Amino acid sequence: MAQEQGEEAIVSSYNNGTEHESTMEEKEDHSSKFDVKNFLWHGGSVYDAWFSCASNQVAQVLLTLPYSFSQLGMLSGIIFQVFYGLIGSWTAYLISVLYLEYRSRKEKENVSFKNHVIQWFEVLEGLLGPYWKALGLAFNCTFLLFGSVIQLIGCASNIYYVNDHLDKRTWTYIFGACCATTVFIPSFHNYRIWSFLGLGMTTYTAWYMTIAALVHGQVEGVTHSAPSKLVLYFTGATNILYTFGGHAVTVEIMHAMWKPQKFKTIYLLATLYVFTLTLPSAATVYWAFGDELLNHSNAFALLPKNRFRDAAVVLMLIHQFITFGFACTPLYFVWEKVIGMHDTKSICLRALARLPVVIPIWFLAIIFPFFGPINSAVGALLVSFTVYIIPSLAHMLTYRTASARKNAAEKPPFFLPSWTAMYILNTFIVVWVFIVGFGFGGWASMTNFVKQVDTFGLFAKCYQCPKAPVAAPPLQPQHH
């Protein structure tokens, strides 16, 4: 019975604010009756998971990739995008395998996940013990915390280019209040319509950037001097590492699926689509503006102001609200489990319990409003471990014994059928990301981050805003 449950694992879905175990028959009966609320609200298909992964990968980072190209140069920028995109897809696959292994073992012990969302740190604890739980919890929560902070900073940075009557710090106050409303969205089941809309918004923005840069053409005297400094080079590289590190929420997205075993290739397919957005937009904007991007980490700052750009800004703002919810929802789950509110049926009561999670995010966005540099710092210090190193090490340790490999819930993929080959690839990822991503990237991004603090100061009122012209002093009347 447990084995059948493992193969037909259907994840609990929210119904009137609570999760209930469902069977495939119930799901089929449910889907046969068209219901607008369920169509928009309850999502657990492979398509929902694909939209969630693709939408979660590209948000405000789309606007900082031209800045990264100005630090790396065109060739390195393209190579790093493809490289980190592919190894990011591989580690997302490893996370999905470990989730299925954990779930399979627990279901053999007749453990029920009714009213419980499985999270990455619980997978690590179940497979490797309490120390790995602490490691996963620390890195994942810190990464998601700063990921949410980045969305708030991005909101304020973007809206400023449409309406500069208020400074960016004031806009951060406003959007912090708006994003706090995500506490009412129960789980990733309920992001169906938001994921769909979010990906449409970033698709428009990416192609707007590409076309606008081509129509604008190269600025007079454009220069493309990158790569020029090691600090800038590795800062740009870690920003791209961060771009394809959106799977701190992979387990939660899988858990929201009716058939989580179908997740294995979804992240790769999402990444391939994301390439069609990030590569053309970053390359064309860098081609058009060159080294000017070194002082403008948000591409909107250089693109000509018109209704198309304003539409892109508004769409990105809505998408950043969605991405804020994506990053915060796992934090909400962790907090609910800590205070014993995870099983509560009332949406309003859970929303109230979640509010303390939003407050520190809001505060940090006001302290460190450095759009661009903070992406690189988070990429080097947090994403490198959360997304690349920990999943690779966890996979190797989980299947280190012959019996574990023999009884594995998921065998090696068809394109890499040998366990030895998987170990070699995982070891390469751990070594590469630790040395290049965490080591050089950490040094470069923190050097750049400290420079921003020294230049603009903490609680900067308007980071990288154009300086207002200084009025000439009035002429003093001459006395004879």
Side-chain angles (χ1 to χ4, degrees):
M1 184 63 184
Q3 187 176 358
E4 290 173 4
Q5 288 176 335
E7 292 174 355
E8 284 295 318
I10 301 163
V11 183
S12 48
S13 62
Y14 272 87
N15 184 14
N16 298 326
T18 59
E19 285 192 326
H20 298 283
E21 288 291 303
S22 62
T23 64
M24 283 304 294
E25 290 79 11
E26 286 172 343
K27 183 251 167 184
E28 286 166 2
D29 290 343
H30 181 70
S31 62
S32 64
K33 299 175 183 177
F34 183 79
D35 183 327
V36 173
K37 178 186 173 185
N38 290 323
F39 176 73
L40 298 177
W41 189 246
H42 294 292
S45 69
V46 290
Y47 302 104
D48 291 306
W50 183 83
F51 276 111
S52 291
C53 289
S55 179
N56 192 42
Q57 270 194 50
V58 282
Q60 49 72 40
V61 77
L62 192 68
L63 309 175
T64 65
L65 285 173
Y67 168 67
S68 297
F69 271 50
S70 72
Q71 297 168 318
L72 288 163
M74 187 75 79
L75 180 62
S76 290
I78 293 169
I79 289 172
F80 270 115
Q81 273 207 45
V82 174
F83 175 69
Y84 282 129
L86 292 178
I87 68 168
S89 298
W90 173 253
T91 54
Y93 166 77
L94 297 181
I95 291 172
S96 72
V97 167
L98 293 172
Y99 167 86
L100 292 171
E101 181 68 38
Y102 168 77
R103 190 176 177 103
S104 173
R105 292 184 186 182
K106 288 296 179 184
E107 285 174 345
K108 286 174 184 175
E109 299 169 8
N110 294 320
V111 175
S112 171
F113 294 107
K114 185 179 180 180
N115 295 339
H116 184 92
V117 177
I118 298 173
Q119 293 189 267
W120 177 227
F121 68 89
E122 292 168 323
V123 172
L124 289 173
E125 180 184 30
L127 297 176
L128 297 170
Y131 293 112
W132 280 85
K133 173 189 176 180
L135 193 68
L137 197 57
F139 274 104
N140 237 41
C141 289
T142 311
F143 167 41
L144 290 168
L145 179 78
F146 279 98
S148 305
V149 168
I150 287 167
Q151 299 312 318
L152 276 189
I153 296 169
C155 284
S157 178
N158 290 346
I159 192 63
Y160 182 79
Y161 297 114
V162 174
N163 184 335
D164 59 4
H165 296 302
L166 299 176
D167 58 74
K168 291 181 182 178
R169 189 168 67 194
T170 304
W171 280 120
T172 306
Y173 292 136
I174 294 168
F175 278 100
C178 294
C179 288
T181 58
T182 57
V183 297
F184 289 101
I185 302 176
S187 83
F188 282 101
H189 271 295
N190 315 117
Y191 274 97
R192 165 175 277 184
I193 190 65
W194 295 114
S195 298
F196 176 77
L197 291 174
L199 192 59
M201 292 165 188
T202 46
T203 300
Y204 170 87
T205 303
W207 286 108
Y208 154 73
M209 289 167 64
T210 304
I211 295 166
L214 290 172
V215 170
H216 181 278
Q218 291 185 310
V219 295
E220 188 177 348
V222 66
T223 54
H224 299 88
S225 60
S228 57
K229 295 179 182 177
L230 277 178
V231 170
L232 293 179
Y233 188 83
F234 286 109
T235 302
T238 50
N239 187 40
I240 293 178
L241 178 101
Y242 169 80
T243 304
F244 296 97
H247 38 297
V249 295
T250 298
V251 171
E252 288 83 0
I253 291 173
M254 280 189 74
H255 194 81
M257 291 178 70
W258 293 311
K259 284 190 171 184
Q261 66 269 30
K262 289 189 174 182
F263 183 86
K264 288 175 286 188
T265 57
I266 287 174
Y267 201 90
L268 175 62
L269 295 174
T271 300
L272 294 177
Y273 180 77
V274 167
F275 282 153
T276 70
L277 306 181
T278 58
L279 288 169
S281 60
T284 51
V285 173
Y286 176 54
W287 167 82
F289 297 100
D291 290 351
E292 283 189 30
L293 285 157
L294 287 169
N295 298 315
H296 297 89
S297 51
N298 189 331
F300 281 148
L302 294 174
L303 292 167
K305 181 174 173 57
N306 54 41
R307 65 180 185 276
F308 298 109
R309 193 197 74 167
D310 289 352
V313 171
V314 171
L315 291 177
M316 283 303 290
L317 285 171
I318 300 169
H319 185 254
Q320 282 167 299
F321 164 81
I322 297 166
T323 311
F324 181 92
F326 267 118
C328 260
T329 299
L331 292 176
Y332 295 152
F333 291 156
V334 172
W335 178 246
E336 286 170 0
K337 290 171 185 177
V338 168
I339 63 173
M341 295 284 285
H342 192 56
D343 296 338
T344 305
K345 295 180 180 180
S346 168
I347 291 179
C348 292
L349 204 58
R350 288 178 69 186
L352 195 63
R354 290 171 169 190
L355 275 175
V357 177
V358 180
I359 306 301
I361 293 169
W362 205 351
F363 189 61
L364 286 167
I366 294 163
I367 298 176
F368 304 113
F370 309 127
F371 193 80
I374 195 171
N375 287 13
S376 300
V378 169
L381 304 180
L382 299 172
V383 175
S384 56
F385 281 94
T386 303
V387 170
Y388 299 96
I389 294 174
I390 291 176
S392 300
L393 285 174
H395 187 272
M396 289 193 286
L397 291 172
T398 299
Y399 298 108
R400 65 188 180 277
T401 63
S403 61
R405 293 193 292 273
K406 182 180 178 182
N407 299 315
E410 290 288 326
K411 302 301 181 186
F414 71 93
F415 57 87
L416 204 67
S418 162
W419 285 101
T420 304
M422 290 187 76
Y423 266 73
I424 292 169
L425 179 56
N426 289 344
T427 303
F428 167 76
I429 291 171
V430 170
V431 173
W432 174 276
V433 174
F434 185 79
I435 295 173
V436 177
F438 176 71
F440 288 110
W443 159 74
S445 58
M446 288 312 296
T447 302
N448 189 31
F449 190 80
V450 170
K451 180 185 174 187
Q452 304 302 316
V453 174
D454 290 342
T455 305
F456 295 95
L458 300 176
F459 298 97
K461 191 172 184 179
C462 210
Y463 174 68
Q464 285 189 342
C465 296
K467 292 180 181 177
V470 180
L475 294 172
Q476 298 295 326
Q478 294 185 350
H479 298 285
H480 297 287

